[in-house]
Amino acid sequence: MKRSFTSLLIILCSLLSHTVSANLLLEPVTPNTVPAFPVETQAQTCRLDLSDELFGGVNEACGRNLDRSRCCPVLAAWLFAAHARSALQLPAPAPTPASSDPDEPMRPDDSQKCVNTLQSALLTKHIKIPQPSPNCDAILCFCGIRLHQISSLSCPAAFNVSSGFRNATPTAAVKNLEKECRNSSYSGCTRCLGALQKLKVKGGSKKTTTERASKMMSKDCQLMGLTWLLARNKTAYIPTVSAVLRAIMYSPHPPHLNKCSPDQENMPLAVDSLQFQRSLTASSRFSVFLVLPLILCIFLFL
């Protein structure tokens, strides 16, 4: 009888040991959450608020292979979130040249500086995004991500900018995004996409005198609205923003027929630390539940 009981204990402990080791191997060895830290600005750098969640999200979506619909929306969402605080700041206005031409090209954006800053930061974390070709980088060329300052855009439907560029107040259409963009499901993404239509530039202005320029400005104004949303609450909105970016920037449909991806496509979304924390907490509790019986088995045989 005693031998049978001992054999049963050995079998149970063996099973527990196998289960615990398997679960420990599956658990990611990553810190729980690290506060975002700003990258110091220099003449040739861009100010980005980078976090471990950004590095983890970009590595998961883009580190293995470069798929436009899988990688680019997540990469764009995290880059817009990191750039949000800087993008919404209004610097002191520079004097306007007397010979200003309304049809001249728009001022250079922050894209190249920010790409250089992000790539340097990724390398310090040993994260490398595959490059499509020697002459095409992943962020600017392959994904087509462009970053702007709010002062370089003309978005009257989205922001009321005071004279002298001293203050930019979001319009009711932008504030409405807080309500319409809280759900990253197919229906929630569709509602958010509909709300963004109200931010489009209507007609021409001093900066948008051609139809093509007007369409480009409309898209940039929509992206600035999403940037404002990320600045308000990155944790709540970044999954929806990545779903909407997939529809706006990487959809196979024509630009005037942008559609959100159905839920069953199961494409990755950008997820902030709150979701990571819940996942890690749940797995930690499960590990403790399994390890305690194993310790008990060891003491029984001592």
Side-chain angles (χ1 to χ4, degrees), residues 27 279-289:
E27 288 184 7
S279 174
L280 289 172
T281 302
S283 61
S284 299
R285 289 174 181 170
F286 183 65
S287 298
V288 171
F289 176 76

Side-chain angles (χ1 to χ4, degrees), residues 180-193 239-241 243-244 260-264 269:
E180 300 296 337
C181 299
R182 279 195 169 269
N183 192 332
S184 60
S185 66
Y186 173 72
S187 59
C189 172
T190 302
R191 284 197 304 272
C192 184
L193 195 60
T240 309
V241 168
V244 170
C260 295
S261 301
D263 294 332
Q264 60 266 26
L269 300 176

Side-chain angles (χ1 to χ4, degrees), residues 66 113 132 196 231 301:
L66 206 57
K113 291 189 297 180
L196 281 172
F301 284 100

Side-chain angles (χ1 to χ4, degrees), residues 66 119 128-138 142:
L66 206 57
Q119 287 178 337
K128 184 173 177 60
I129 302 176
Q131 190 167 333
S133 71
N135 299 321
C136 181
D137 74 293
F142 184 75

Side-chain angles (χ1 to χ4, degrees), residues 85-125:
R85 182 168 54 166
S86 175
L88 295 170
Q89 288 180 346
L90 289 173
T96 304
S99 60
S100 179
D101 183 358
D103 288 326
E104 68 183 2
M106 291 177 60
R107 283 179 284 172
D109 54 37
D110 283 350
S111 300
Q112 189 59 61
K113 291 189 297 180
C114 292
V115 166
N116 295 339
T117 300
L118 178 62
Q119 287 178 337
S120 298
L122 289 172
L123 287 176
T124 63
K125 297 290 183 177

